[in-house]
């Protein structure tokens, strides 16, 4: 039974060994683009709030700027990529052990 599980785990190891580095690469490329966009969007929201344009639009832009900042959705995506890397490492240990 243990051999059968190891045989089933091998395609997942291969897939994760390809997907995880690719996701890290895409994440690193998008990191500086999202940071620049977050600064611009949040800055526009703060300027709109200071000039008294529309409070709802201003707060909406500030929230969107936070979500694309390093503390928003990108932190969640980085955590997810790290968990996939941990899963790959665990599967490799299971098959090798």
């Amino acid at each position: 039974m243990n051999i059968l599980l190891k045989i089933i785990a091998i395609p997942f190891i291969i897939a994760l060994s390809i997907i995880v580095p690719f996701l890290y690469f895409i994440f690193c490329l998008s990191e500086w683009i999202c940071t620049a966009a977050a600064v611009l969007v949040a800055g526009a929201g703060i300027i709109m709030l200071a000039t008294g344009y529309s409070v709802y639009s201003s707060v909406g832009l500030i929230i969107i700027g936070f979500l694309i900042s390093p503390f928003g959705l990108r932190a969640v995506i980085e955590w997810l990529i790290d968990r996939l890397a941990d899963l790959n490492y665990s599967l490799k240990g299971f098959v090798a052990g």
Side-chain angles (χ1 to χ4, degrees), residues 1-83:
M1 184 67 179
N2 201 11
I3 301 276
L4 182 63
L5 290 175
K6 289 182 180 184
I7 291 172
I8 292 172
I10 290 174
F12 292 105
I13 292 171
I14 294 170
L16 286 172
S17 295
I18 294 169
I19 291 171
V20 169
F22 178 73
L23 289 176
Y24 272 126
F25 175 72
I26 295 298
F27 182 76
C28 290
L29 282 180
S30 69
E31 189 172 11
W32 65 273
I33 295 170
C34 287
T35 301
V39 169
L40 290 174
V41 170
I46 291 171
I47 290 172
M48 286 173 57
L49 190 63
T51 59
Y53 180 68
S54 172
V55 175
Y56 294 117
S57 298
S58 306
V59 172
L61 282 177
I62 292 171
I63 290 172
I64 290 171
F66 173 75
L67 286 176
I68 60 176
S69 73
F71 305 109
L73 294 175
R74 285 185 21 219
V76 174
I77 293 169
E78 186 176 16
W79 178 83
L80 181 64
I81 293 171
D82 287 340
R83 297 298 73 82

